Amino acid sequence: MFGYLIAWIVYLATAVVLLRVFRRHFMPMLPPGWRPVSAGLLAVVLFTPWPIDGDTWLPAPAIIAVVFNLMERDVLGVLKSLFPLLLLSTLVCSVAWWKSRRAES
């Protein structure tokens, strides 16, 4: 269990650094309307949790669960792991798009 917590701490620290690098170096290259949407999408992909194992319910990043299910060729597992990513990305993109449109007018 201690190794699991250490892995989560390392993953979260790395994800925060990756998000900062994206915001500082890659977001200025995007059109202004796409900036909040792209940052939100990256945050959703990096930080959405999902259980990796149906028995223990220990969460892992959903993108990792998708990759594990793809390696196992478990189509139902891939769809279950993609559902929270698709749901949250739709919500985040809708809110970011609405906010950017509202700020323009």
Side-chain angles (χ1 to χ4, degrees):
M1 188 66 169
F2 184 69
Y4 178 76
L5 293 175
I6 295 295
W8 259 110
I9 291 169
V10 169
Y11 177 80
L12 290 175
T14 306
V16 167
V17 168
L18 183 63
L19 195 57
R20 282 186 165 181
V21 167
F22 176 77
R23 284 187 175 175
R24 175 169 286 196
H25 296 290
F26 295 110
M27 274 183 60
M29 291 188 257
L30 296 173
W34 284 92
R35 290 177 187 167
V37 175
S38 64
L41 279 177
L42 183 61
V44 163
V45 168
L46 290 175
F47 296 117
T48 302
W50 189 251
I52 199 81
D53 185 16
D55 299 333
T56 59
W57 237 96
L58 290 173
I63 195 69
I64 302 297
V66 169
V67 170
F68 282 168
N69 287 322
L70 279 173
M71 289 190 309
E72 292 178 354
R73 296 185 180 153
D74 181 15
V75 177
L76 185 60
V78 169
L79 294 176
K80 284 181 181 179
S81 301
L82 274 177
F83 178 72
L85 287 171
L86 293 175
L87 178 69
L88 286 175
S89 63
T90 302
L91 290 172
V92 166
C93 284
S94 299
V95 169
W97 177 78
W98 181 73
K99 281 185 166 184
S100 69
R101 293 292 175 198
R102 189 171 171 119
E104 287 178 2
S105 59

